Amino acid sequence: MNHNSQINSDGFAIINSVYTENEIDEIISLIENSTKDKTENTTFRKSEDLFAIRQFHKEIPETLAFIFNEKLKKIINSNFGEDYFITKSIYFDKPEKSNWFVAYHQDLTISVNQKTEVVNFKNWTVKQNQFAVQPPNEILENNFTIRIHLDKTTKDNGALKVINNSHSKGVFKVDDLELENETICEVEKGGIMMMKPLLFHASNKTTNNERRRVIHIEFSNQQLPDGLEWSEKTVFHD
């Protein structure tokens, strides 16, 4: 279960069979029951090409008991340690005929509780009443993301494409990206992808009429300076 060397070298790792069919069905059922009457919620984004829920673990907290099963907790502990907590989560539902695609980028911002002047925190934005900021690189380098796949994800329904080892070079412009080491990250239903925020990643349009639902969860173990707090901070372990 230890994929630490691969995550450090490539910037990502894929592990299948983290969830049983029943666990995935429970998570999907909780999401569907919670969202059927809530489409006007400010954390929801709905279009023909994408349905997304920001602050997912706060909007549908009852999913956490199924998401953080014994397998996932062991994976996190063995690869990263026991002191990590949730800092952000988003649910993505890419419908069967989606033309949604995302160009290559790094995940450079974190969600915080307020806007304040802090050294080396820059590029402040506000999205749906949520402050976001780009922290110093060392914070981003120490964080990680887990993507939980509720459907089989392939190159034909928008699986992530990544540039291996691009996380090791810090923050840089996409214009300077070299595409030779591209990997398409196909993941089975019930599998996960672990990745570093600075890894360049993208996704294509759906071409095979197959739905793609993913829960994206970001983690950190760091204290922020000068009164800044992680606005979505949630401890998931006992």
Side-chain angles (χ1 to χ4, degrees), residues 5-230:
S5 60
Q6 184 187 355
I7 293 166
N8 288 333
S9 62
D10 292 339
F12 72 98
I14 293 167
I15 308 175
N16 285 313
S17 303
V18 175
Y19 298 94
T20 65
E21 193 81 31
N22 284 344
E23 286 171 326
I24 292 296
D25 288 345
E26 286 282 359
I27 293 168
I28 290 171
S29 177
L30 287 168
I31 293 170
E32 288 178 347
N33 289 339
S34 297
T35 56
K36 59 186 175 186
D37 300 319
K38 283 189 181 176
T39 50
E40 299 306 312
N41 194 310
T42 56
T43 60
F44 290 14
R45 173 182 177 178
K46 189 170 180 62
S47 71
E48 287 183 8
D49 290 321
L50 183 74
F51 175 55
I53 304 173
R54 292 185 176 275
Q55 302 182 36
F56 171 76
H57 65 287
K58 290 192 167 187
E59 288 291 344
I60 315 179
E62 52 271 34
T63 57
L64 292 180
F66 296 97
I67 289 171
F68 289 96
N69 64 9
E70 287 307 310
K71 272 193 175 179
L72 187 67
K73 287 193 280 192
K74 282 180 182 173
I75 289 167
I76 291 172
N77 291 345
S78 64
N79 287 284
F80 304 103
E82 298 183 8
D83 56 345
Y84 278 82
F85 47 83
I86 300 169
T87 62
K88 185 191 291 186
S89 66
I90 309 172
Y91 167 71
F92 295 105
D93 179 354
K94 199 171 186 178
E96 292 86 343
K97 298 184 184 298
S98 176
N99 283 320
W100 181 266
F101 71 95
V102 181
Y104 267 112
H105 67 286
Q106 297 171 297
D107 290 339
L108 298 180
T109 63
I110 60 173
S111 299
V112 294
N113 62 328
Q114 62 179 323
K115 181 177 181 180
T116 184
E117 291 299 318
V118 183
V119 175
N120 294 327
F121 283 71
K122 59 188 180 182
N123 299 330
W124 287 88
T125 58
V126 180
K127 199 178 283 184
Q128 294 163 326
N129 300 318
Q130 174 77 70
F131 291 105
V133 64
Q134 182 177 333
N137 285 7
E138 54 265 25
I139 289 180
L140 295 172
E141 287 165 356
N142 207 45
N143 291 355
F144 68 92
T145 297
I146 289 180
R147 292 169 59 86
I148 297 158
H149 292 252
L150 305 182
D151 299 293
K152 182 174 181 174
T153 303
T154 69
K155 62 181 175 57
D156 299 318
N157 69 336
L160 278 197
K161 303 182 295 183
V162 303
I163 304 300
N164 294 35
N165 196 39
S166 55
H167 68 298
S168 67
K169 301 166 187 173
V171 175
F172 62 95
K173 292 180 181 177
V174 69
D175 300 348
D176 300 325
L177 192 60
E178 297 174 1
L179 299 177
E180 297 92 66
N181 292 323
E182 182 178 84
T183 298
I184 297 174
C185 299
E186 298 189 316
V187 186
E188 295 294 327
K189 178 179 180 178
I192 67 169
M193 176 181 175
M194 302 183 289
M195 60 182 280
K196 302 296 285 181
L198 294 182
L199 184 73
F200 269 92
H201 55 286
S203 67
N204 289 342
K205 300 174 182 178
T206 297
T207 59
N208 65 352
N209 285 338
E210 289 185 5
R211 193 174 185 181
R212 191 203 76 176
R213 290 168 289 185
V214 173
I215 298 170
H216 167 114
I217 306 178
E218 299 177 15
F219 298 83
S220 185
N221 65 348
Q222 298 169 85
Q223 188 82 24
L224 298 177
D226 298 338
L228 271 188
E229 300 285 350
W230 301 94

